[in-house]
Amino acid sequence: VSDASGCSMIALLHTGAAKFPQNLLSRSRQAVCPLFPAGVLEGFSSIVSRKLASHGFGASMAAMSSFPPQRYHYFLVLDFEATCDKPQIHPQEIIEFPILKLNGRTMEIESTFHMYVQPVVHPQLTPFCTELTGIIQGMVDGQPSLQQVLERVDEWMAKEGLLDPSVKSIFVTCGDWDLKVMLPGQCQYLGLPVADYFKQWINLKKAYSFAMGSWPKNGLLDMNKGLNLQHIGRPHSGIGE
């Protein structure tokens, strides 16, 4: 996840489909279908095009215009960072909780939710964790607990109109770990409920592999390379990636 100037996960949503080989376009249309709601292709603004061009993405609007209408109004791009070490510590705890609200019609970032989270089981970050994520001890000390952060997420979702039944939104992640393993696992450990909106998501790795015919073992780095996209942001940094 990154700022409004552009990032790797957002770049994949913007330009990935347009760069698929021609012999895979029919499959890529099906794979990327869930990523773009009704009217998205017509809604790409000149501002977005200039932003992408400035980062060397250069999406082919002609190729993307052949895509059928889609179903979501908003994409909520999410990328947790958690406590970690070698060997891995248990339980892992979320220490960074970033979400970007991406307008499915204009592909503009409309809002950002970002908070650091105080770990409670292993409150001291390991040197490995800090080196990997760039998160230092002072960034999590005194921060809200996961329960408090989840309450604020719910408030943010309501404020942004995302809890309105008529508004269709879905989370987008690079892999299933964030919402299939990390969040439900920690909530179970802490005895916290998991909101329904966290129970479905789009896994970019699956969409990419279906369209391209290969699984991106190194996640964003492989997908960027496969689509000739420049990586923007710091790897393994929630808001920076």
Side-chain angles (χ1 to χ4, degrees):
V1 181
S2 182
D3 61 18
S5 65
C7 69
S8 295
M9 289 179 73
I10 300 301
L12 285 166
L13 288 170
H14 273 300
T15 68
K19 289 178 174 285
F20 292 151
Q22 289 298 316
N23 64 343
L24 290 175
L25 271 178
S26 61
R27 283 200 295 162
S28 68
R29 290 191 184 103
Q30 300 174 52
V32 184
C33 231
L35 301 181
F36 298 92
V40 62
L41 300 173
E42 293 80 4
F44 278 93
S45 67
S46 59
I47 295 176
V48 173
S49 299
R50 288 196 298 271
K51 283 182 180 179
L52 293 174
S54 69
H55 288 296
F57 296 139
S60 169
M61 294 299 111
M64 298 186 75
S65 65
S66 63
F67 276 62
Q70 308 304 314
R71 68 184 71 172
Y72 297 108
H73 300 118
Y74 295 101
F75 302 114
L76 307 177
V77 184
L78 177 148
D79 181 29
F80 294 141
E81 299 304 329
T83 54
C84 54
D85 201 1
K86 282 190 174 183
Q88 189 59 272
I89 57 177
H90 298 283
Q92 284 188 277
E93 300 171 86
I94 296 170
I95 55 176
E96 185 179 7
F97 205 124
I99 307 171
L100 294 186
K101 178 189 176 189
L102 188 71
N103 186 303
R105 182 180 60 83
T106 65
M107 299 305 287
E108 290 284 349
I109 297 169
E110 288 192 355
S111 181
T112 302
F113 178 91
H114 181 258
M115 293 189 71
Y116 291 105
V117 189
Q118 170 74 61
V120 295
V121 181
H122 301 287
Q124 191 70 31
L125 301 183
T126 64
F128 174 82
C129 182
T130 293
E131 181 178 356
L132 181 69
T133 66
I135 299 173
I136 63 174
Q137 191 65 42
M139 296 166 73
V140 297
D141 284 345
Q143 296 300 312
S145 66
L146 180 64
Q147 180 177 359
Q148 294 170 319
V149 170
L150 289 174
E151 291 171 355
R152 296 187 189 182
V153 169
D154 201 68
E155 293 171 358
W156 178 79
M157 295 278 287
K159 175 186 173 185
E160 296 296 324
L162 298 169
L163 301 185
D164 184 335
S166 66
V167 175
K168 296 181 180 180
S169 63
I170 192 164
F171 282 93
V172 178
T173 61
C174 183
D176 289 326
W177 175 84
D178 301 84
L179 294 178
K180 186 176 182 178
V181 178
M182 188 62 241
L183 182 62
Q186 188 176 359
C187 284
Q188 182 179 28
Y189 181 86
L190 296 173
L192 302 174
V194 178
D196 287 342
Y197 46 72
F198 285 128
K199 295 179 180 179
Q200 59 177 350
W201 61 91
I202 291 171
N203 179 350
L204 283 181
K205 290 182 180 180
K206 290 182 179 179
Y208 176 93
S209 64
F210 183 79
M212 299 297 285
S214 62
W215 185 262
K217 295 180 180 179
N218 293 317
L220 284 177
L221 297 179
D222 281 356
M223 289 190 283
N224 287 333
K225 183 177 180 181
L227 298 173
N228 296 317
L229 295 176
Q230 176 187 354
H231 184 87
I232 305 295
R234 185 189 191 281
H236 303 294
S237 171
I239 197 66
E241 189 170 32

